Amino acid sequence: VEIHPADQAVITLVKNQNHYQIYVDGELRAEADSKIASYLGNLYIGCERDQNGRPFRFSDISVRRLEIVSRAMNGDEVRNEALSWKEDGK
């Protein structure tokens, strides 16, 4: 998912069995399916990929807040959560 430079962004990943939704600032930006229900993976934030698809040129981005919940979220809940996080950051 390409995210343009910004002072602050709220990224939300919603997992429902093998289906993943990626929201940026409350807006659905991508969906993906994985046949593996649970796995250890990497989340690359603030990097580019070379011509072979390998990540490189990482930015100095920092994660200010990380929240993991076990409940399912719909689009409206994600948007409201993103707004509340932005307001908390002011």
Side-chain angles (χ1 to χ4, degrees):
V1 176
E2 184 174 328
I3 302 172
H4 296 286
D7 292 337
Q8 179 178 315
V10 176
I11 301 170
T12 307
L13 304 172
V14 176
K15 179 181 184 294
N16 182 3
Q17 295 181 346
N18 298 337
H19 187 74
Y20 295 81
Q21 294 176 313
I22 302 166
Y23 292 83
V24 178
D25 292 331
E27 177 188 334
L28 180 63
R29 297 288 294 275
E31 295 188 67
D33 287 305
S34 173
K35 293 184 180 188
I36 302 171
S38 180
Y39 63 93
L40 296 176
N42 296 315
L43 173 62
Y44 293 106
I45 300 175
C47 73
E48 295 183 30
R49 294 189 176 275
D50 65 15
Q51 61 190 13
N52 297 318
R54 291 186 299 260
F56 79 106
R57 197 183 301 163
F58 293 87
S59 74
D60 60 355
I61 193 168
S62 63
V63 176
R64 294 187 182 175
R65 178 174 163 183
L66 174 64
E67 184 175 322
I68 300 171
V69 297
S70 60
R71 63 183 170 81
M73 297 176 72
N74 62 37
D76 289 335
E77 290 173 312
V78 170
R79 280 187 286 283
N80 292 337
E81 192 73 20
L83 285 173
S84 73
W85 278 41
K86 289 249 182 195
E87 290 171 359
D88 288 348
K90 290 182 181 179

